[in-house]
Amino acid sequence: MTTAKAHTNIALIKYWGKKDQQLIIPQTDSLSLTLNEFYTTTQVVFDPTLTTDQVSINHHRLTPAAAQRTSAFLDLVRQRAGRTEFARVNSINHVPTAAGLASSASAFAALAGAASAAAGMQLNRRELSRLARRGSGSATRSIYGGLVEWHRGHDDHSSYAEPVMEKLDFGLEMLAIMINTKKKKITSRQGMQASVATSPYYASWRQVVANDMQAIKAAIQQRDIPTIGHIAEENALRMHALTLSADPGYSYFNSQTLTAMRAVRALRKRGIKCYYTMDAGPNVKVIYDHRDRERVIAGLSQYFDRSQLIVSAAGPGIQIWDEKTKKVLL
Ligand code: 2P0
């Protein structure tokens, strides 16, 4: 039995569209920050007595239909490892309930790590990054800690992530504003497909990302948080312009999202250098220098309950260990 722990990540330069749906080759590069506070631990054991994969998430057993995406991923691992046994998978998501941050990124990164090791494969981090990508695009980046770049590549071999700065030596911090929603959401997968197929702005988005990737990497080398934040905020807005400009148009924002965006801008007017980014849901994440943490929290507390604000520093890359011997495998 093998266990892997992988942290989720939030993109500062977004991945929004695939070139190849099956291999999950993205249209553009992307860049993210791995978060310390949110992670998934997953145990996998291949068991010859099983007649189907048994998948539990947070101690709840999934139906075979709900486990389909996990089973399809395990098929990939079995095929590569030359194994035929079904697997028992126990996964725990360490994310606040109803946070809307429960991410496929940490889930598929942890599954890739635990399943490949349990199947007897010894993959290095680049190989793991490629494998995790087959489960979910954003999982490609969750193999590494800190600031991570996903090279879009052009095929299975060339599309993987690598760290830009794995151990941050400057005070970039992120705060998640938990905005709950009961509305059924459009999955990232559906949303990005609609944007690629129908947004007239999609070609411009590719150019935006190419420019932003260069600019943000230069700003990271300078440890320039206001420039990193500014680029991330503009990039997020332009990604969300791809949702509004699809046919039919859609949006992940709700009124609270707009309130949070306005609050961040108001803080900035008062001289606090903080910037927002949003993903495929209504929650807003704020980035700033950790020295401004208390001022950011105080400012946002005028609009949101303190319990809705969760601070996270940068997190580490994947860890994998043998559950019996506790031997660290990666
Ligand atoms: C990202 N997001 O770069 C982008 C930006 C949200 C907005 O959730 O279809 O769940 O499994 O590859 O990785 C990316 O969507 O989609 C995502 P699939 P994924 O983090």
Side-chain angles (χ1 to χ4, degrees), residues 211-225:
N211 297 345
D212 286 352
M213 284 297 293
Q214 268 202 327
I216 204 164
K217 282 195 278 180
I220 289 167
Q221 292 318 317
Q222 303 292 321
R223 281 82 171 148
D224 179 349
I225 292 175

Side-chain angles (χ1 to χ4, degrees), residues 9-11 13-16 18 24 30 69 104-105 133 135-139 141 150 188-189 192 239-240 278-280:
N9 71 78
I10 298 295
I13 306 299
K14 307 294 187 189
Y15 146 54
W16 200 249
K18 298 180 182 67
I24 313 197
S30 56
R69 199 164 151 189
S104 58
R133 194 196 75 236
S136 186
S138 49
R141 300 182 306 236
W150 176 11
S188 308
R189 205 158 274 198
M192 63 175 79
M239 181 211 111
H240 286 275
M278 293 76 58
D279 293 291

Side-chain angles (χ1 to χ4, degrees), residues 11 17 29 51 54 90 102 139 143 161 169 173 177-178 182 228 241 244 246 261 269 279 281 305 310 319:
D29 298 342
T51 55
Q54 288 188 6
N90 284 307
I143 300 302
D169 60 6
E173 192 165 273
I177 307 175
M178 300 300 165
K182 292 194 178 74
I228 294 169
L244 295 171
M261 290 160 69
K269 273 219 170 108
D279 293 291
D305 195 85
I310 302 183
Q319 294 162 281

